[in-house]
Amino acid sequence: MTIIIDPQGSGISGNMLIGAFVDLGANPDELKEIMEKSASEFGKIKVTFEKIVKKCISSTYCNVEMIENEKAVNYPEFIEKINALDIDEKVKETSIKVFKRIAIAESEVHGKPLETIHFHEVGASDAVADVIGSIYAYYSLNLDNQKVIGLPIAVGGGRVKTAHGIIPVPAPAVVEILKDAKMIGGPVDSELATPTGAAIYMEICDEIKEFIPLIKPKKVGHGAGKKDFNHPNILRIIESSDITESDEIDVIETNIDHLTGEEIGYLFDKLLDIGARDVSITPIIMKKNRQGSLLKVISKKENRENIIETIFKETGSLGIRIAPNIHRGVAKREFVKKTVTINDKEYEVTFKIGYVNGEIISKRPEYEDLKRIAEDSRLPLKEIKELIK
């Protein structure tokens, strides 16, 4: 399944994300409880959900009303309070990553050390509810096991009043958070992208694209914003079925005739560690009948420079061949952990599952797990493979 987060029309905020997740099936009663409980450490809030229509489009509005707010605390104290919350560890860890993105952005904007940053409205009780509510809904829908693609964010325009005075839109912190993403001004003279919404978006998106890729839409959720414009003030999230994707890769090659087997093995492992998708070594006969090896690396183009630099440094090669933008068919893949029992002992095994158009085409246990079980059980590797498949 592929998830598309679409903030092109009217930007993004925490409560819009929550509304869209509820539209997709997240439980509003559970969200209300977790949001109000988590925010209580920072002030009292009231959460309500309402089905409304924004310019003829049905959507879910999550209203987070701040009844009282505690005094702002600095970043270390803030994170300490979040760590003390009695919530799911995955939700807590990811929420802390979101808050760290916001704090780092504030630190850059104000030129202050991270430890001295006070969150002000970003760390207020309603923002805590927005972040933890969004992340809780994300995990409750099992979106952490799906590919999440973000589209460009409409950030609005004009000026907005904040704790730091009147500042231009998008706010400086939003620009910092959205570095390496895609954003566009307008379509109204108003703030459309909040630091909270932008930070959640950057944390949960696996990839940022300019357009929706080839998908088969199955379900759409709309989260409503508070303001009313001449256009629908909504965030759209599209859930699609699995498809075979087209992938652009680089094939990087060089001939090697002066490295030992151990040195080639080291290079093999290092290239995989820095992001190569695949590495192969093929014995070849070179000019003057010298024996050598052909190193072939498959890489995403964004890793090209790092991989080329590593090959130059580790091999001393004077020339590297690159075949860029080769397309390949890629089956949808996911990793599933299962528990198996061997000789009355339980082991956790990760299976790599491949799909094409929703149909399973392969299901293989990871070699490292098989090796670990074989060593622990003292059974032959091939026997472990037969027992687990």
Side-chain angles (χ1 to χ4, degrees):
M1 187 166 67
T2 299
I3 304 299
I4 308 293
I5 297 180
D6 182 6
Q8 298 176 102
S10 209
I12 193 167
S13 64
N15 71 315
M16 291 171 81
L17 275 162
I18 295 170
F21 285 144
V22 169
D23 237 24
L24 285 176
N27 188 314
D29 294 329
E30 289 181 4
L31 281 168
K32 174 181 172 65
E33 181 181 354
I34 195 80
M35 291 167 70
E36 291 181 348
K37 175 184 173 183
S38 301
S40 64
E41 289 295 317
F42 303 88
K44 189 175 181 180
I45 64 165
K46 181 180 179 182
V47 177
T48 56
F49 292 92
E50 182 183 3
K51 198 71 176 177
I52 63 174
V53 175
K54 286 281 188 178
K55 295 297 177 182
C56 300
I57 297 181
S58 176
S59 55
T60 298
Y61 176 55
C62 172
N63 183 42
V64 182
E65 180 185 357
M66 187 168 62
I67 298 173
E68 61 183 33
N69 199 35
E70 301 289 341
K71 183 180 178 181
V73 296
N74 62 30
Y75 178 68
E77 293 174 303
F78 180 83
I79 296 302
E80 186 177 338
K81 282 191 171 188
I82 297 293
N83 265 319
L85 294 176
D86 182 21
I87 58 176
D88 182 86
E89 284 301 316
K90 289 192 300 184
V91 174
K92 186 188 298 185
E93 289 172 9
T94 306
S95 297
I96 287 174
K97 290 178 182 178
V98 172
F99 285 119
K100 186 174 182 179
R101 286 181 182 271
I102 299 171
I104 290 173
E106 292 281 354
S107 175
E108 290 290 330
V109 168
H110 301 302
K112 295 181 178 179
L114 189 63
E115 293 73 19
T116 65
I117 290 296
H118 285 69
F119 276 82
H120 300 291
E121 66 266 80
V122 173
S125 54
D126 56 345
V128 171
D130 280 348
V131 172
I132 292 178
S134 296
I135 300 304
Y136 181 89
Y138 165 81
Y139 280 110
S140 73
L141 293 171
N142 295 316
L143 301 188
D144 55 313
N145 293 321
Q146 315 304 329
K147 182 173 184 179
V148 180
I149 295 174
L151 300 181
I153 298 179
V155 294
R159 297 182 296 171
V160 64
K161 186 176 181 180
T162 73
H164 305 293
I166 297 175
I167 59 175
V169 172
V174 170
V175 177
E176 282 291 329
I177 292 168
L178 293 180
K179 281 182 175 177
D180 298 323
K182 294 179 173 68
M183 65 181 189
I184 185 169
V188 292
D189 183 355
S190 181
E191 181 185 36
L192 296 183
T194 67
T196 302
I200 298 168
Y201 167 93
M202 292 298 289
E203 185 60 40
I204 67 177
C205 286
D206 299 306
E207 190 176 352
I208 311 295
K209 287 183 175 289
E210 188 172 357
F211 302 110
I212 296 176
L214 179 65
I215 62 171
K216 292 180 180 178
K218 292 296 181 183
K219 195 172 182 181
V220 181
H222 296 108
K226 183 176 183 179
K227 301 174 184 177
D228 289 315
F229 302 118
N230 289 328
H231 68 273
N233 185 20
I234 58 170
L235 171 73
R236 179 170 63 172
I237 299 182
I238 303 171
E239 179 184 299
S240 75
S241 62
D242 295 329
I243 57 173
T244 300
E245 302 171 355
S246 176
D247 197 12
E248 289 189 352
I249 58 169
D250 287 341
V251 176
I252 303 170
E253 297 181 345
T254 191
N255 294 347
I256 302 171
D257 66 351
H258 56 283
L259 297 185
T260 66
E262 290 86 353
E263 290 168 335
I264 291 176
Y266 173 80
L267 174 61
F268 187 100
D269 292 337
K270 184 165 186 177
L271 290 170
L272 289 173
D273 288 342
I274 65 173
R277 305 303 293 269
D278 199 5
V279 181
S280 62
I281 309 288
T282 306
I284 58 174
I285 300 297
M286 302 174 61
K287 61 184 180 181
K288 299 183 180 179
N289 294 321
R290 295 198 312 272
Q291 290 187 336
S293 301
L294 171 63
L295 171 68
K296 181 179 290 187
V297 181
I298 296 176
S299 166
K300 288 282 193 178
K301 63 180 180 180
E302 56 263 29
N303 287 338
R304 179 193 301 169
E305 294 305 319
N306 192 19
I307 285 174
I308 290 173
E309 182 180 357
T310 298
I311 294 173
F312 273 129
K313 287 181 177 179
E314 296 293 341
T315 68
S317 174
L318 300 179
I320 295 174
R321 301 180 293 277
I322 305 171
N325 299 327
I326 292 177
H327 293 261
R328 63 172 179 171
V330 181
K332 178 73 177 180
R333 286 161 287 182
E334 69 174 350
F335 294 88
V336 176
K337 292 184 182 294
K338 293 187 177 181
T339 301
V340 299
T341 302
I342 296 176
N343 290 344
D344 298 323
K345 184 173 181 179
E346 290 188 344
Y347 298 94
E348 189 175 73
V349 180
T350 300
F351 287 82
K352 182 190 289 185
I353 303 175
Y355 298 88
V356 172
N357 293 326
E359 180 181 350
I360 295 177
I361 60 169
S362 67
K363 181 181 178 181
R364 295 191 297 270
E366 291 287 85
Y367 166 74
E368 291 299 330
D369 288 344
L370 298 180
K371 177 183 174 183
R372 172 174 51 83
I373 296 171
E375 290 174 347
D376 183 75
S377 66
R378 297 185 180 181
L379 293 174
L381 182 66
K382 64 179 181 178
E383 185 174 338
I384 297 297
K385 188 175 181 180
E386 285 296 318
L387 289 170
I388 289 177
K389 72 177 182 179

